[in-house]
Amino acid sequence: MRAALVSTALAVVVLLAACAAPEPAPPPGSAPSAVTLEPVTGSPREEVPSALDRIDDPALPAPLVDPARVISGGPPPDGIPPIDEPTFSRAAEVDWLADDEPVLAPAIGAPARAYPVQILVWHEIVNDTIDGRPVAITYCPLCNSALGFDRRLGERLLTFGTSGSLYQSDLVMYDRQTESLFSQLEGRAIAGVLAGEELDRVPVQTITWAQFRDANPDGFVLSRDTGVDRDYGANPYTGYDDPSSQPFLFDGEPDPRLPPKERVAGLGGDTDPVAVPLPALVEAGVLELQVAGRPVVVWSVEGLRSALDTREITRGRTIGATGAFDPVLDGRRLSFTRTASGEFTDAGTGSTWNVLGQAVDGPLTGARLDPVEHVDTFWFAWAAFHPGTRITDIP
């Protein structure tokens, strides 16, 4: 019965994404004062063969993956419409987000920006500019992976769309300048004239709306004024994050060491891939480990709602928000514990830190730990792209 419900939900979202009319329609709850903060620009379209049209075009470099494994997810290109002209509202003006709803928080820009998952689940890509830095904020519901990228690649300034295809169940993006195909979890072009090119990452955390708002009362929030009409606040993938359920259009064998959709924090990339199981991390609060020869501290706080569980995102089961940081500050390695209030203290100074790695009380108030690249995702996806990964034991 559960599998049937999941299949039905996926069929519905494909239909909605492919067929919903894109005419502007301000949805309920949109902040009337939504503004454009910075223009989104891109380089001109180049006269080169398109991997979006034909991935194995003989005029293109050989794809880096088997073309047969890049398969249609249902919608046509941009049938899941990216947001190319994002508008924002002040955090203090937003009344349509619940405290425990998930938002994506890039670790760049001042004032900070939040991208609600209730919007990203319908759009998957936001082309944006933050403090003059061209970025793409992306979310793949099928892998539950939120990643940020710098849109600059050499002399090119890229803008991204959704190709409608999947690779290992992951979002395949395309750039509008060359129509090369990019694997979201890898952050590299897998086909087209840019094959082999990698995008620079922008650190992104998935945290609760309350955690972002409390840390950034003057911050900005992506508005629901997206130019298209979608049922923001509803989850089109009802029941998809059942840990034991099978991923959609995944053509491999999930690594059996963990349930396919157990949530993990993935660190280390291809150099030293590490997976930290989220249920154990939420219980422990803090984990110190070595990744690629450097110290890393990984935190988790309870209270974050899953966006992929119930039809209403605000009723999703409670999971945990995470952060990964370099624990060395000004040459001094700090050691942390989680407090009963869901914050963290360091043993050396007794300062209090929030989940964003910011010291909010004590001698180190105002300090910020450097984020370490990590992604919260499903185990099957992390293991598929990093088959040599090690799973960290948590005491």
Side-chain angles (χ1 to χ4, degrees):
M1 177 64 73
R2 185 76 167 185
L5 290 173
V6 172
S7 295
T8 300
L10 287 168
V12 169
V13 75
V14 167
L15 182 63
L16 287 171
C19 301
E23 290 83 2
S30 297
S33 58
V35 296
T36 299
L37 298 180
E38 299 178 73
V40 175
T41 58
S43 299
R45 172 74 171 96
E46 300 177 25
E47 295 300 323
V48 294
S50 168
L52 185 64
D53 290 341
R54 181 179 174 185
I55 189 173
D56 59 352
D57 189 319
L60 290 170
L64 302 186
V65 301
D66 181 354
R69 301 190 67 195
V70 180
I71 58 180
S72 173
D78 291 334
I80 297 174
I83 298 175
D84 295 320
E85 297 180 357
T87 60
F88 294 84
S89 301
R90 285 284 186 183
E93 299 175 353
V94 172
D95 61 2
W96 45 268
L97 283 168
D99 281 357
D100 48 9
E101 267 194 71
V103 300
L104 309 184
I108 61 171
R113 300 188 194 185
Y115 300 77
V117 174
Q118 65 157 264
I119 298 176
L120 267 292
V121 76
W122 293 98
H123 294 276
E124 301 189 2
I125 298 173
V126 181
N127 291 295
D128 203 357
T129 306
I130 301 177
D131 281 353
R133 184 177 181 182
V135 299
I137 307 301
T138 71
Y139 176 70
C140 175
L142 299 179
C143 291
N144 186 51
S145 50
L147 293 164
F149 302 101
D150 193 308
R151 294 191 287 111
R152 294 170 294 189
L153 192 60
E155 297 299 316
R156 295 180 174 94
L157 177 54
L158 306 179
T159 55
F160 291 96
T162 58
S163 71
S165 294
L166 302 171
Y167 172 59
Q168 301 197 117
S169 198
D170 183 40
L171 163 67
V172 175
M173 313 183 296
Y174 79 96
D175 73 276
R176 298 199 179 100
Q177 285 62 45
T178 73
E179 295 191 352
S180 299
L181 302 181
F182 286 75
S183 163
Q184 184 237 15
L185 268 168
E186 292 181 288
R188 67 165 183 163
I190 57 175
V193 297
L194 298 180
E197 296 284 351
E198 294 192 21
L199 302 169
D200 289 336
R201 300 288 179 97
V202 174
V204 172
Q205 279 180 264
T206 304
I207 60 175
T208 69
W209 164 235
Q211 288 165 342
F212 176 87
R213 184 192 60 220
D214 293 348
N216 302 283
D218 61 343
F220 285 97
V221 182
L222 180 68
S223 167
R224 285 170 154 182
D225 291 335
T226 61
V228 296
D229 185 9
R230 293 294 185 271
D231 192 8
Y232 298 126
N235 162 31
Y237 301 86
T238 304
Y240 188 70
D241 68 348
D242 180 346
S244 62
S245 65
Q246 293 302 303
F248 181 62
L249 293 181
F250 180 66
D251 61 355
E253 289 293 330
D255 187 313
R257 288 180 289 168
L258 292 172
K261 292 182 190 168
E262 180 157 317
R263 293 168 183 262
V264 300
L267 305 100
D270 293 330
T271 304
D272 182 19
V274 179
V276 182
L278 185 58
L281 180 62
V282 170
E283 184 175 348
V286 176
L287 174 67
E288 297 181 353
L289 69 164
Q290 292 280 322
V291 179
R294 61 182 288 194
V296 176
V297 61
V298 188
W299 296 346
S300 185
V301 181
E302 295 179 291
L304 179 72
R305 295 277 183 183
S306 167
L308 301 173
D309 183 21
T310 56
R311 175 64 178 170
E312 295 179 43
I313 290 176
T314 55
R315 296 180 181 272
R317 64 188 176 91
T318 300
I319 50 175
T322 70
F325 305 97
D326 184 341
V328 179
L329 182 68
D330 296 331
R332 179 182 185 180
R333 179 166 178 171
L334 302 176
S335 180
F336 298 91
T337 56
R338 187 178 64 192
T339 69
S341 62
E343 295 177 307
F344 303 85
T345 58
D346 70 83
T349 73
S351 298
T352 302
W353 303 73
N354 64 22
V355 73
L356 291 164
Q358 303 166 335
V360 294
D361 192 27
L364 296 180
T365 297
R368 183 164 188 167
L369 301 174
D370 289 334
V372 172
E373 183 180 310
H374 88 291
V375 60
D376 293 326
T377 188
F378 291 139
W379 165 244
F380 86 86
W382 179 259
F385 285 95
H386 303 93
T389 198
R390 56 186 168 97
I391 300 173
T392 299
D393 294 325
I394 301 179

